[in-house]
């Protein structure tokens, strides 16, 4: 039976999550499979891969052919490198301990690069959030300034209206308290006796 290591789609619309499976060459993409080797989620940065390393290595060694995408996933996880190193051990180029030390050195370098990427993403996100917060603070300050100006204008209008009302009341009071001029003396009719 010819086998392939391929991706099997899962998830939902606009959010595909894949299973990495070993399947017969003639099986449909989402059809029957022989064994599930892991999962692949390309929706996050960096893409998240959970892989059964030993089983993937076993299937490669017994002749399963990976698809192009799965080949890049296996390469990223180091399965292809380990297969290559095991081939060197079988040929006698070096021993198992040397192969394992080379693989561990590669894995450590790969993990440090991945951590740099993750740290860079986190720093960029933090800087982006900080700049967004600063911009929002500036906008809020401008809005607060405009609101304060409007409130000051309203208070000034109220003060001017109050002052005008006080002046009008004072003028009216002054007008009421002003001495009343005596009307011209009218001639009183003579008293008749």
């Amino acid at each position: 039976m010819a086998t392939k290591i391929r991706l099997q789609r899962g998830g939902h619309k606009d959010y595909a999550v894949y299973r990495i499976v070993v399947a017969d060459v003639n099986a449909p993409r989402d059809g029957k499979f022989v064994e599930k080797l892991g999962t692949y989620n390309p929706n996050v940065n960096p893409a998240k891969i959970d892989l059964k390393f030993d089983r993937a290595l076993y299937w490669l060694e017994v002749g399963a052919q990976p698809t192009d995408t799965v080949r890049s996933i296996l390469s990223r996880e180091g399965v292809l490198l380990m297969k290559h190193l095991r081939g060197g051990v079988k040929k006698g180029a070096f021993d198992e301990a040397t192969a394992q030390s080379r693989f561990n050195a590669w894995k450590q370098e790969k993990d440090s690069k991945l951590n740099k990427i993750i740290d860079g993403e986190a720093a960029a996100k933090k800087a982006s959030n900080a700049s967004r917060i600063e911009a929002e603070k500036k906008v809020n300050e401008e809005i607060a300034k405009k609101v304060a100006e409007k409130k000051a204008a309203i208070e000034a209008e109220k003060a001017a209206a109050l002052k005008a009302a006080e002046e009008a009341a004072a003028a009216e009071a002054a007008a009421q308290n002003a001495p009343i001029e005596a009307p011209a003396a009218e001639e009183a009719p003579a008293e008749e006796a």
Side-chain angles (χ1 to χ4, degrees):
M1 168 173 81
T3 57
K4 260 195 174 311
I5 303 175
R6 64 170 60 166
L7 296 177
Q8 188 177 53
R9 193 180 194 287
H12 54 82
K13 186 176 180 180
D14 297 329
Y15 194 86
V17 179
Y18 299 93
R19 290 184 289 276
I20 302 169
V21 297
V22 177
D24 183 24
V25 173
N26 297 322
R29 179 189 72 178
D30 296 334
K32 286 186 175 181
F33 58 89
V34 177
E35 183 179 352
K36 179 182 172 186
L37 298 178
T39 59
Y40 169 59
N41 183 0
N43 300 307
V44 294
N45 188 16
K48 185 177 180 192
I49 300 170
D50 294 324
L51 184 67
K52 296 177 187 173
F53 188 88
D54 295 333
R55 293 303 295 166
L57 185 59
Y58 165 78
W59 281 105
L60 281 176
E61 287 178 341
V62 296
Q65 294 297 312
T67 60
D68 293 337
T69 305
V70 173
R71 181 180 305 280
S72 67
I73 291 170
L74 296 177
S75 176
R76 176 179 160 183
E77 292 297 306
V79 177
L80 295 179
L81 176 64
M82 184 53 94
K83 180 183 178 208
H84 174 74
L85 291 173
R86 280 192 174 179
V89 169
K90 286 180 185 174
K91 291 179 182 176
F94 43 82
D95 62 348
E96 185 71 33
T98 306
Q100 192 62 42
S101 67
R102 286 183 183 180
F103 179 76
N104 290 340
W106 175 85
K107 189 71 172 170
Q108 194 172 34
E109 181 183 338
K110 185 78 170 175
D111 289 342
S112 68
K113 286 181 182 178
L114 187 61
N115 288 337
K116 272 187 183 178
I117 291 172
I118 291 170
D119 292 343
E121 290 281 331
K125 188 174 182 180
K126 189 174 182 181
S128 172
N129 285 344
S131 65
R132 193 182 82 241
I133 288 171
E134 281 299 317
E136 192 172 319
K137 282 182 182 178
K138 287 180 183 177
V139 169
N140 288 343
E141 287 173 2
E142 289 176 12
I143 290 172
K145 189 176 180 181
K146 288 179 183 178
V147 168
E149 288 173 359
K150 281 185 178 180
K151 283 184 178 180
I154 290 171
E155 290 297 322
E157 285 180 18
K158 284 182 181 178
L162 186 61
K163 188 175 181 181
E166 287 176 358
E167 288 176 358
E172 189 177 309
Q176 286 178 359
N177 292 339
I180 301 177
E181 292 183 18
E186 294 181 21
E187 293 194 20
E191 283 187 32
E192 294 181 24

